[in-house]
Amino acid sequence: MHKNMTASLTGRLYGLIALSVALILTFTHLPEQAGAADIALGFAGSLLRVGLGVAALYTTVVCLGLLLNVATRNSRFFHKHIEVAPEVRFEPVALPTVVKALRHEILANIKSFWYLFPWQNRTGIVEGCPQASQARANTTPVLLVHGFMCNAGVWNTLRPHLQRRGITSHSITCNPLGGDIDDFAHMMHTAVLELQRRTGSQKVRMIGHSMGGLMIRAYVKHYGEQHIESALCLGAPHQGTIYSLGGQGICAKQMNLGNPWLMSMTRSKADIAFRRKLTNICTTLEDIVQPASSAALPGARNWMVSHCGHTVMPADKGIIALIDTWLEEVVLEESTQEEYAALAA
């Protein structure tokens, strides 16, 4: 992976390739005496074929991910480096729910990689609405942290939602795509300091999607938890994922099952103590983090959902409702705090 590669550049490259393929298909099937109308119609048809091909590709990838989810759930081989949290329960999911989740996950993949990441990479601070701020007691600013092969565009739905709630948020984009998660943690600290400066708040809350959850934990490793009021992770590969074997770059290797960097962080005293402030949302229909139980951490609070896949989580209405619930809280119960603080003593 090139050191300067970004999610925006990758998405635009995908678009350029798709247009090139559509043009080739158009001009290889045109009659000799084709006019402008024939070319336009042919190009539209070629674009449709390319679009259907892209949809078929994402459908295949998502379906394979769900099959891998089922295949690895009870596998001792894939769980030898994973400590399964007691809250993790894979209850049966009704077929209509699975079909609906599949449709939303496929559309979310297409929208993210072909539109949001290339064209909606809006970073920076979004101030909360003052009227809403006055009506709410807890308006601690929120840092939004994206995942692997993504950028700030993933928060295109959540950012305005937080603004309407009167909560100031800061969405960052960490580049390059294959960089070191430890380096991303340093980029996060710059954003934390900027949020504190702009809002006057001593602490921030953090929401991380996918690899963003590991970035939050890496931040704690380097800077401690004194700046963090609480953190929420959506589908984070806390204990690794099989899918990272197909990725490129340092961060992909860091997410491998049993990776020394990941294992060291998971066993550290600071990480164990931080889990009293950490909430994870894990989905039964996980199609990226495999085994799916890796998205939970013993010692943290782990919420299981069964209505959506991985990529759609930051924009899913049900997940955003859970985020609202989390935003109304302060920290976990005192008993839980004391129990896991003792583990780090």
Side-chain angles (χ1 to χ4, degrees):
M1 182 177 292
H2 193 273
K3 64 179 181 179
N4 294 321
M5 188 61 73
T6 67
S8 294
L9 183 59
T10 302
R12 293 174 187 181
L13 183 60
Y14 288 162
L16 181 61
I17 293 172
L19 287 175
S20 299
V21 171
L23 284 170
I24 292 171
L25 289 174
T26 300
F27 286 101
T28 54
H29 292 86
L30 280 178
E32 293 183 2
Q33 302 298 324
D38 296 321
I39 295 175
L41 187 61
F43 184 63
S46 297
L47 278 179
L48 178 61
R49 280 183 282 177
V50 171
L52 290 174
V54 169
L57 174 63
Y58 282 111
T59 300
T60 302
V61 171
V62 172
C63 289
L64 286 175
L66 288 178
L67 289 174
L68 191 59
N69 176 330
V70 175
T72 59
R73 281 183 187 178
N74 300 310
S75 169
R76 291 184 179 180
F77 176 79
F78 291 112
H79 280 80
K80 62 183 179 180
H81 297 296
I82 293 177
E83 185 181 357
V84 180
E87 301 93 331
V88 175
R89 296 285 187 274
F90 293 105
E91 304 294 342
V93 182
L95 182 59
T97 301
V98 174
V99 173
K100 183 178 180 181
L102 269 173
R103 184 174 72 250
H104 288 176
E105 182 71 358
I106 293 164
L107 291 175
N109 273 279
I110 295 172
K111 180 180 179 180
S112 296
F113 289 99
W114 292 78
Y115 173 63
L116 294 180
F117 301 162
W119 308 109
Q120 297 293 313
N121 179 26
R122 296 172 182 168
T123 59
I125 293 178
V126 176
E127 301 281 354
C129 295
Q131 298 85 351
S133 300
Q134 294 170 4
R136 296 182 180 274
N138 191 350
T139 54
T140 305
V142 175
L143 179 65
L144 302 172
V145 190
H146 65 80
F148 182 61
M149 294 288 291
C150 303
N151 59 29
V154 75
W155 306 112
N156 198 47
T157 300
L158 185 59
R159 269 197 313 266
H161 177 79
L162 294 176
Q163 184 180 28
R164 289 190 295 270
R165 285 180 56 94
I167 297 173
T168 297
S169 64
H170 191 347
S171 54
I172 60 174
T173 290
C174 295
N175 287 317
L177 289 183
D180 191 317
I181 294 177
D182 287 321
D183 292 338
F184 296 157
H186 300 315
M187 298 178 194
M188 289 172 60
H189 189 56
T190 301
V192 168
L193 295 178
E194 178 65 11
L195 260 181
Q196 291 175 326
R197 186 188 67 82
R198 287 277 293 272
T199 63
S201 176
Q202 294 184 349
K203 293 182 180 290
V204 303
R205 309 183 90 174
M206 294 184 179
I207 301 177
H209 176 237
S210 196
M211 187 184 73
L214 295 182
M215 292 160 64
I216 291 173
R217 292 169 60 201
Y219 176 89
V220 173
K221 179 177 73 171
H222 289 284
Y223 297 98
E225 60 177 75
Q226 63 269 23
H227 297 293
I228 305 176
E229 181 178 301
S230 58
L232 177 69
C233 298
L234 313 177
H238 284 304
Q239 303 185 69
T241 173
I242 299 169
Y243 264 34
S244 67
L245 294 172
Q248 297 184 32
I250 298 172
C251 56
K253 295 177 180 177
Q254 289 172 320
M255 291 187 286
N256 286 343
L257 291 171
N259 177 270
W261 176 89
L262 184 58
M263 298 294 288
S264 174
M265 183 169 68
T266 300
R267 293 168 179 167
S268 70
K269 292 181 178 180
D271 190 80
I272 294 172
F274 173 65
R275 296 177 197 178
R276 75 192 189 280
K277 294 184 177 181
L278 182 62
T279 300
N280 297 307
I281 299 182
C282 321
T283 175
T284 302
L285 301 178
E286 179 63 65
D287 55 297
I288 296 295
V289 177
Q290 311 294 356
S293 54
S294 174
L297 270 178
R301 178 172 50 177
N302 302 296
W303 291 343
M304 293 294 297
V305 299
S306 57
H307 71 279
C308 67
H310 179 91
T311 304
V312 76
M313 292 180 85
D316 178 78
K317 291 181 179 180
I319 298 298
I320 290 177
L322 287 175
I323 292 174
D324 284 339
T325 299
W326 172 77
L327 286 168
E328 296 295 338
E329 301 171 347
V330 182
V331 290
L332 297 185
E333 294 81 1
E334 278 296 324
S335 59
T336 306
Q337 292 186 27
E338 294 173 357
E339 179 181 352
Y340 289 100
L343 290 175

